[in-house]
Amino acid sequence: MGIRPWQFAPGIGQVATAHHAADPVYLSASDAIGESNLLHRKHWEWVFTHATADRLNLLEAGRSALGFGVGTEPLVSAFAARGVEILATDQPEDQAGDWATTGQHSTDLRDLWRPTICDEEVFARAVSFRPVDMTSLPSDLGEFDLVWSSCCFEHLGSPQAGIEFVRNSMRHVAPGGAAIHTTEFDTTRLKGLLEIGDVGRGTYACFYRRRDLKKLVSTLRSEGFEVEVDWRVSRRHPAERQVDRPPYSHSPHMRVEVEGRIVTSIGLVVTRPVTTT
Ligand SMILES: C[S@@+](CC[C@H](N)C(=O)[O-])C[C@H]1O[C@@H](n2cnc3c(N)ncnc32)[C@H](O)[C@@H]1O
């Protein structure tokens, strides 16, 4: 892989670190998504997704993209501004629970347009919306050059449901295309996978460990997909020593305490070779 420790390397799976916030590509992607809370793990997820899609030449006019659980994230507008045709999806409203009441769920296009990063007409032409349950993907979704989800597959009700979603999402990646999925990542070397909340209320989350995601990566490779991940976790940057503990300040928020674990984000990039059927 040849990645230096803590190098921002969009295109390859990696763990969020505060070191990335000094990288010019990170800063340029932050501008593209119109966000400035650089040392926040969710900001990192959006930036990693944008920079990876760009590195893989998937943000070109005429490309197509499918976003899952988009909430009110800025990526839809940022991708539309680059000329990508997008199908944005989120779960049906009647199952959204707290996601709807905390402004993290969308029901139509009005929740997704960001006037500061995308012209209204461009957005209206490029983006369509459809409710989709990530635990039961409709067979008629079709294939796209880019498939993505940010901070979603840990919220599907069980660790296995998230893993199945990632595998199933590959059915919607066109040959030569890629899926980019970010999720919460438990950096603590403790036994047992942490799960919190309640899926019916929209508060469920699980925190994947390296061993869980390594298993997923092996499965994806055995299914013919290409995945590289740099699993190293940085712990020494000043913004990482400053772990955000409840009640969270959200600045910095790159290392977060959840029930005694130290959590951050990780991005996975799964490509479908042109030859895979
Ligand atoms: C933490 S929010 C993230 C929203 C957005 N992707 C972002 O990065 O800000 C989790 C998202 O997952 C969606 N979600 C949860 N369960 C889902 C399901 N079963 N199917 C589709 N979306 C789901 C929620 O509606 C919400 O939009």
Side-chain angles (χ1 to χ4, degrees):
M1 251 183 318
I3 302 169
R4 282 179 279 110
W6 328 137
Q7 178 188 344
F8 187 48
I12 291 168
Q14 61 182 161
V15 179
T17 163
H19 293 282
H20 292 166
D23 188 289
V25 175
Y26 189 95
L27 296 172
S28 151
S30 298
D31 282 348
I33 63 168
E35 295 279 335
S36 56
N37 194 1
L38 304 183
L39 294 174
H40 195 289
R41 63 159 203 87
K42 272 189 71 96
H43 182 95
W44 182 92
E45 293 188 22
W46 296 332
V47 162
F48 176 80
T49 304
H50 191 284
T52 293
D54 206 9
R55 179 69 50 90
L56 299 178
N57 300 318
L58 297 174
L59 298 188
E60 295 167 341
R63 292 290 201 176
S64 59
L66 168 65
F68 289 104
V70 292
T72 55
E73 69 187 30
L75 290 171
V76 177
S77 284
F79 292 165
R82 293 287 292 271
V84 178
E85 198 174 303
I86 297 157
L87 176 59
T89 73
D90 207 334
Q91 65 185 329
E93 195 171 8
D94 58 2
Q95 72 181 50
D98 270 10
W99 299 120
T101 53
T102 56
Q104 295 186 83
H105 173 260
S106 60
T107 50
D108 68 34
L109 292 178
R110 279 166 304 185
D111 301 319
L112 294 166
W113 176 49
R114 298 268 184 119
T116 54
I117 53 176
C118 188
D119 175 81
E120 188 170 13
E121 270 179 36
V122 171
F123 183 86
R125 261 200 317 272
V127 187
S128 51
F129 183 84
R130 175 174 172 179
V132 167
D133 182 347
M134 292 163 68
T135 64
S136 165
L137 301 185
S139 55
D140 66 349
L141 270 179
E143 287 186 351
F144 299 77
D145 299 309
L146 167 63
V147 165
W148 89 92
S149 73
S150 160
C151 196
C152 286
F153 79 80
E154 67 271 39
H155 297 301
L156 300 184
S158 72
Q160 197 51 31
I163 298 295
E164 287 308 314
F165 160 73
V166 174
R167 290 181 62 204
N168 292 335
S169 75
M170 295 311 297
R171 287 193 211 131
H172 303 288
V173 178
I180 307 169
H181 296 297
T182 60
T183 189
E184 286 168 80
F185 185 65
D186 182 353
T187 70
T188 326
R189 296 188 190 100
L190 286 175
K191 283 198 179 137
L193 186 153
L194 176 64
E195 295 176 78
I196 60 170
D198 179 293
V199 72
R201 294 205 184 117
T203 56
Y204 175 87
C206 66
F207 300 87
Y208 294 103
R209 302 156 302 169
R210 176 172 156 156
R211 72 183 78 165
D212 308 308
L213 297 180
K214 273 194 152 177
K215 220 186 275 177
L216 169 62
V217 166
S218 303
T219 305
L220 290 165
R221 284 183 183 147
S222 72
E223 290 169 341
F225 303 109
E226 292 170 358
V227 199
E228 290 296 333
V229 186
D230 179 358
W231 300 100
R232 288 173 287 192
V233 177
S234 163
R235 296 183 166 83
R236 298 210 178 141
H237 188 288
E240 293 162 354
R241 289 174 183 269
Q242 205 179 327
V243 174
D244 203 7
R245 302 182 196 279
Y248 301 118
S249 72
H250 290 278
S251 180
H253 192 75
M254 286 301 263
R255 298 290 180 263
V256 182
E257 187 193 310
V258 181
E259 298 200 359
R261 314 284 179 113
I262 306 298
V263 168
T264 185
S265 293
I266 188 168
L268 299 176
V269 184
V270 191
T271 54
R272 177 171 170 186
V274 180
T275 51
T276 304
T277 50

